[in-house]
Structures are given as C-alpha cells and as structure tokens.
Amino acid sequence: MKKLEIFDPAMCCSTGVCGVEVDPVLVQCNADLLWLAEQGVTVNRYNLSQQPQAFAANPAVLKELEAGMERLPLTLIDGQIVATGAYLSRDQLIEKLDLIPSAPPASANPFRVQTNSGCCKPGSGCC
C-alpha cells in the first residue's frame, strides 16, 4: 500500500479546531487523511513546530524549505513530492494514490448528522 506524508507548517496542532477560529481547510484535510487511513493508506503527518526532526531527516523536504516556508504544506507519496503550498482535496489524493473512488464510510465524516433517531423531527418542537 502507498505511503502518504504531509509536512505541515508550524502550528499548534493539525486539526484546525484550535485557536480563535476554526480553519475549515485543516478540518477537511484531517477528515480526508482519516478516511485514507481507513482505506489502508499509511498516513504520516508532521508539524514543523512539534516534529522538526522529521523535516531535517528528509533531504527533499529540506530542499523545499530552502526555497521558502510558503512551500509548506508538502505532500509526499512514497517519498516523492506531489504537492507544495496547499492541501490536496480528497479527490486529488485519490487520483494521486491510484485509489478506486468510492463513497466514504459514514464513520469517516466527523460531522455526520443523525436522522430518524426519534428526536428532533422537523416541526416536533423538541428543541
């Protein structure tokens, strides 16, 4: 199976929910990476502020950093850089990983809305 690595810029965490405002790009990226891991892809994510040794140990990553910090985030598949400066969408990652597109399992969506739960039907007035 393929190995996906994300080298993030320095930040407090990679979830996107820390700080004053939620970063929807980071939230979606995190959900996509969790989904890819469920598909069997080996996913490793490194944060410059918390894991600088991972950046220093990879010559390709160091070379990109010499070109500028705006090159982050970096996306590597099997050690090859496939994207710089932005997070790839789930569809782009599926294409680059040569995965067969399929609907994500319900557990992959952290914002899933439950329906038919017996509560909160439209017009029920329960909340």
Side-chain angles (χ1 to χ4, degrees), residues 33-101:
L33 296 179
L34 290 172
W35 181 80
L36 288 170
E38 289 179 358
Q39 307 311 303
V41 175
T42 301
V43 178
N44 293 318
R45 193 167 186 188
Y46 307 104
N47 182 331
L48 182 58
S49 64
Q50 297 170 353
Q51 298 153 304
Q53 69 281 5
F55 290 71
N58 188 315
V61 171
L62 280 178
K63 185 176 179 182
E64 289 295 328
L65 290 179
E66 289 172 5
M69 295 302 283
E70 67 277 0
R71 304 291 288 173
L72 297 175
L74 295 171
T75 303
L76 283 69
I77 295 176
D78 292 336
Q80 301 296 313
I81 295 173
V82 297
T84 62
Y87 294 100
L88 297 178
S89 70
R90 182 179 298 196
D91 289 341
Q92 291 170 320
L93 289 167
I94 287 170
E95 180 181 333
K96 299 232 180 249
L97 289 162
D98 294 325
L99 294 176
I100 297 172

